[in-house]
Amino acid sequence: MSLILSPNIPDPDGFYETLINAHEGLTKDESDALNARLILILANHIGDRAVLAAALKAAS
Amino acid sequence: MVAQRYRTASTLYPYSRSEDQDGSVQRHPVVVVGGGPVGLGFALDLGQRGTPVLVLDDHEGPGLGSKAICFAKRTLDIAHRLGAGVSMVDKGVVWNVGKVFYRDGKLFEFNLLPEDGHRHPAFINLQQPYFEEYLFAAIKRAKADGAPIEIRGGNRLTGLDAQDDHVRLDIDTPDGPYSIEADWLIACDGVRSPVRDLMGLSFDGRVFEDNFLIADVKMKAPFPTERWFWFEPPFAEAQSALLHKQPDGIWRIDFQLGWDIDREAELDPARIRTRIDAMLSSQTGDVPAYELDWTSIYTFQCRRMSSFRHGPVFFAGDSAHQVSPFGARGANSGIQDAENLAWKLHMVLEGQADQSLLETYSAERGCAADENILNSSRATDFMTPKSDTSKVFRNAVLDLARDHVFARQLVNSGRLSVPCTYDDFPSFGEDTLNGPEQTRPGASCTDAPVDDGFLLDQLNANFVLLSISGDAPEASDLSGNLFKSLHVATPSPELAARYLGDAHQAVYLIRPDQHIVARWSSFDAAAVARALRNALGKD
Ligand SMILES: Cc1cc2nc3c(=O)[nH]c(=O)nc-3n(C[C@H](O)[C@H](O)[C@H](O)COP(=O)(O)OP(=O)(O)OC[C@H]3O[C@@H](n4cnc5c(N)ncnc54)[C@H](O)[C@@H]3O)c2cc1C
């Protein structure tokens, strides 16, 4: 599998709202920690090292 | 006396003394307060159906200045049914190319290639005063054909006494006060609704802590017909900026200024020109010659009434719900309120439906208001992130959008207004067709070519039973019912794709407001009768 960079999330606006709302009321440190946990969970879900490497590259 | 609260763009319905101002208090079946887009649209729809309607407005024509410019397809479809669509589309500007900028670079460009097989484009840009003038012209034509519509300009509502079964209105005029009574009152009196205030009803929601400078600019040189949107523009000290075209060589420019501003200073024409010069020259280095046509500063809110009906009083348009303008949902949703209510009230007054049909108005349009508030809140939150983390994500989306298509769909400077689908309401259903999503019960009909014209042109008055392919239902099975039967023996490819999907034939029951009640794979008289009763709130 290769990294998907085309639209892939149904109801993108709804997803974005949920993501932002998850941070509501958190301090900066708490938000950073939430983001870090989220990345680790998603990375584990993806599993594929080549895809993860491609994602890191796309984000950098 | 009736003092002017704002300047008008033109005089359409000058004050003239009415007989009601002499003699005893007269009772009218339906009175509308407010002759804005919603009040005019409602009166036109109801009057064309034959129900007498009286509109009161305290001015004599549409307000001057920057308000709505973006009118969506559904609004044009409705205006076309009412006889005002052609002039709107002729005058309106259609744009397809949009560009999104972030700081000093272009992120991406899009082209809204129109889908074939619709009479109307996805939207047009047209100044609100024109929109109102064209509705008024259609009212004049309808009146010449006998529609019982009366508009009284220079008539200000000042007092109101709502009983269970009628309303008494106190009205001020240049000749002094008088009173009338109404069986039904429709409050289309805008966001500051005096009717709502006089009834002591609340209007709750969210204020967005932001100010928008809106400037309409008349260009004296050619300039592209494109929509340009900036996040954090490098010029003009604004958080976002927007430019798009209106008719008559006018461009609408918005600057998002933030919360803590000196309004007076920001409205100084010299300061406004500095911002506009920076924006207009950002792509070419040149400032084209232009004039300031209109400028104002707005703050935006999202609010709604909890119920749009209180006894004999209905609220429609901005009086019932207010949205921030990103996504252009104010007038567009108000016109749908008007259309939703007009046929229902007409059928109840004609004795064709019970009063319970009127209950569905607030539920259906409340659902649409929630959807509009949700969409416009999301756009506003994207443009004005409410926390540091939210801003980090927003800017990450923008950074990624330069190279990656997936991030572009998250960029939100307003989502185009589309009609609400009334999913899960008891007055809609059954669905035994297994047909396309977009034409499921509750949805408003998508247009498609039929014969030499368009489907929506045929759905123009009452309930319609549409059968596609197969046999036309027997006339004897339909007699005594409230609908016209429309049989399309050989559907166009677009009609087939939008209404049949994989099915070979279909039967649709469609309401007077062009929303789909139910659909089946073949005609069954009992099922149709059941769906019709349901749609009329009779069960
Ligand atoms: C900057 C801006 C941009 C916008 N852009 C868009 C857009 O692109 N698309 C869109 O769809 N919407 C847009 N809107 C929203 C749109 O302008 C409103 O939703 C629309 O005007 C609502 O129509 P209405 O008929 O409900 O109310 P109004 O247009 O406010 O009309 C109310 C009428 O009631 C009358 N009235 C008030 N009080 C009394 C009284 N006491 N007695 C008698 N008459 C009275 C008023 O004079 C007025 O004529 C925008 C709004 C703003 C401010």
Side-chain angles (χ1 to χ4, degrees):
Chain A
M1 224 187 82
S2 62
L3 180 66
I4 300 170
L5 288 167
S6 54
N8 193 36
I9 304 177
D11 182 20
D13 289 345
F15 158 71
Y16 191 78
E17 185 180 25
T18 313
L19 176 65
I20 299 302
N21 285 349
H23 288 270
E24 205 166 291
L26 302 189
T27 63
K28 168 91 173 76
D29 286 350
E30 287 166 345
S31 271
D32 287 350
L34 174 65
N35 282 336
R37 289 194 297 271
L38 188 60
I39 292 169
L40 293 170
I41 290 168
L42 295 175
N44 181 62
H45 178 83
I46 293 163
D48 186 326
R49 283 292 296 275
V51 173
L52 290 169
L56 258 171
K57 191 153 170 263
S60 305
Chain B
M1 265 316 292
V2 180
Q4 284 241 323
R5 294 180 293 117
Y6 51 80
R7 280 163 63 204
T8 47
S10 57
T11 299
L12 300 180
Y13 32 85
Y15 170 76
S16 79
R17 197 180 170 88
S18 121
E19 284 176 9
D20 287 3
Q21 288 167 255
D22 301 310
S24 57
V25 173
Q26 296 297 307
R27 172 80 69 103
H28 294 262
V30 182
V31 173
V32 175
V33 181
V38 179
L40 293 178
F42 177 80
L44 181 53
D45 206 342
L46 194 67
Q48 279 183 350
R49 291 176 191 281
T51 294
V53 53
L54 168 64
V55 181
L56 307 173
D57 197 286
D58 62 349
H59 288 68
E60 298 184 327
L64 187 68
S66 321
K67 287 177 89 183
I69 58 167
C70 183
F71 292 93
K73 180 169 185 299
R74 181 67 201 145
T75 302
L76 299 175
D77 290 342
I78 295 170
H80 192 79
R81 179 174 62 75
L82 297 175
V86 172
S87 20
M88 292 176 185
V89 176
D90 283 351
K91 181 78 188 175
V93 171
V94 177
W95 60 263
N96 291 314
V97 174
K99 291 180 178 161
V100 179
F101 302 88
Y102 176 39
R103 298 187 180 148
D104 47 13
K106 188 171 89 181
L107 286 185
F108 61 93
E109 198 173 309
F110 55 87
N111 193 337
L112 301 167
L113 284 179
E115 194 183 58
D116 280 342
H118 299 264
R119 176 184 289 285
H120 291 125
F123 60 92
I124 58 167
N125 280 1
L126 178 74
Q127 291 92 329
Q128 184 164 334
Y130 283 125
F131 185 85
E132 296 181 36
E133 282 163 27
Y134 298 150
L135 282 177
F136 182 77
I139 287 178
K140 265 173 68 178
R141 289 191 294 271
K143 280 172 72 167
D145 290 341
I149 307 171
E150 186 189 351
I151 304 185
R152 293 185 192 165
N155 274 243
R156 173 171 296 163
L157 177 81
T158 55
L160 181 142
D161 180 20
Q163 302 291 325
D164 287 345
D165 63 344
H166 75 281
V167 180
R168 183 188 162 103
L169 297 90
D170 300 324
I171 300 162
D172 202 7
T173 74
D175 286 329
Y178 73 107
S179 297
I180 56 171
E181 287 179 349
D183 292 333
W184 301 97
L185 178 70
I186 321 301
C188 304
D189 49 353
V191 91
R192 292 194 188 83
S193 175
V195 173
R196 201 181 59 221
D197 285 350
L198 289 165
M199 293 178 73
L201 298 167
S202 60
F203 196 44
D204 297 321
R206 225 176 118 187
V207 178
F208 293 99
E209 300 202 337
D210 219 325
N211 289 284
F212 287 81
L213 170 67
I214 301 204
D216 283 337
V217 160
K218 192 168 180 88
M219 297 283 191
K220 295 182 175 157
F223 205 76
T225 304
E226 298 175 349
R227 179 188 195 258
W228 291 357
F229 192 93
W230 283 262
F231 291 97
E232 302 185 7
F235 51 82
E237 297 162 51
Q239 286 147 40
S240 70
L242 170 65
L243 170 89
H244 53 159
K245 193 181 181 204
Q246 310 173 51
D248 304 334
I250 308 257
W251 267 256
R252 164 71 53 91
I253 298 180
D254 294 2
F255 293 109
Q256 185 187 354
L257 300 182
W259 188 229
D260 254 338
I261 60 159
D262 179 347
R263 279 178 86 96
E264 202 99 332
E266 294 296 354
L267 281 170
D268 175 6
R271 184 163 170 80
I272 294 177
R273 279 188 164 273
T274 312
R275 287 186 196 276
I276 293 176
D277 290 356
M279 172 192 256
L280 295 181
S281 63
S282 68
Q283 300 311 300
T284 59
D286 292 330
V287 182
Y290 67 87
E291 272 166 22
L292 292 181
D293 185 63
W294 183 271
T295 56
S296 46
I297 289 182
Y298 290 92
T299 55
F300 294 126
Q301 277 134 66
C302 284
R303 301 185 284 182
R304 61 163 285 189
M305 298 179 72
S306 53
S307 173
F308 300 168
R309 177 185 179 188
H310 292 264
V313 182
F314 289 89
F315 292 84
D318 276 12
S319 69
H321 43 74
Q322 182 182 17
V323 291
S324 74
F326 307 105
R329 284 155 190 273
N332 285 312
S333 67
I335 290 291
Q336 293 171 57
D337 292 349
E339 148 158 279
N340 188 292
L341 185 56
W343 70 270
K344 292 176 181 172
L345 194 56
H346 172 74
M347 288 186 88
V348 168
L349 291 179
E350 289 289 297
Q352 293 169 334
D354 301 340
Q355 290 225 6
S356 62
L357 176 61
L358 299 174
E359 306 284 334
T360 61
Y361 168 73
S362 184
E364 289 170 7
R365 295 313 299 162
C367 179
D370 289 343
E371 194 173 296
N372 289 323
I373 288 173
L374 180 71
N375 274 293
S376 94
S377 302
R378 283 173 175 172
T380 312
D381 285 339
F382 192 84
M383 294 167 56
T384 315
K386 50 184 190 243
S387 69
D388 290 343
T389 302
S390 173
K391 186 156 187 171
V392 169
F393 272 109
R394 199 284 299 271
N395 289 352
V397 166
L398 295 175
D399 278 327
L400 289 168
R402 190 172 292 118
D403 296 322
H404 302 303
V405 181
F406 87 92
R408 292 179 193 169
Q409 61 170 354
L410 295 170
V411 174
N412 191 346
S413 63
R415 301 283 181 233
L416 187 66
S417 158
V418 290
C420 175
T421 296
Y422 304 130
D423 282 319
D424 304 324
F425 280 94
S427 41
F428 297 92
E430 311 161 357
D431 184 3
T432 63
L433 181 66
N434 206 3
E437 271 274 299
Q438 64 171 327
T439 44
R440 66 190 184 275
S444 83
C445 285
T446 326
D447 210 357
V450 168
D451 301 330
D452 294 335
F454 288 92
L455 174 66
L456 296 189
D457 296 348
Q458 314 258 358
L459 312 177
N460 52 5
N462 220 320
F463 280 85
V464 173
L465 191 72
L466 166 69
S467 38
I468 306 173
S469 303
D471 298 324
E474 294 288 330
S476 58
D477 284 328
L478 305 176
S479 62
N481 268 316
L482 293 163
F483 46 72
K484 95 172 188 195
S485 174
L486 172 66
H487 180 232
V488 183
T490 321
S492 63
E494 292 92 343
L495 187 73
R498 292 167 199 167
Y499 286 81
L500 290 178
D502 297 332
H504 297 294
Q505 57 174 56
V507 175
Y508 281 79
L509 180 64
I510 298 164
R511 297 201 313 194
D513 60 3
Q514 302 180 340
H515 277 262
I516 293 160
V517 175
R519 61 181 181 181
W520 305 270
S521 48
S522 60
F523 175 71
D524 170 349
V528 172
R530 201 159 57 229
L532 184 64
R533 283 183 60 79
N534 228 355
L536 290 172
K538 285 189 173 169
D539 285 334

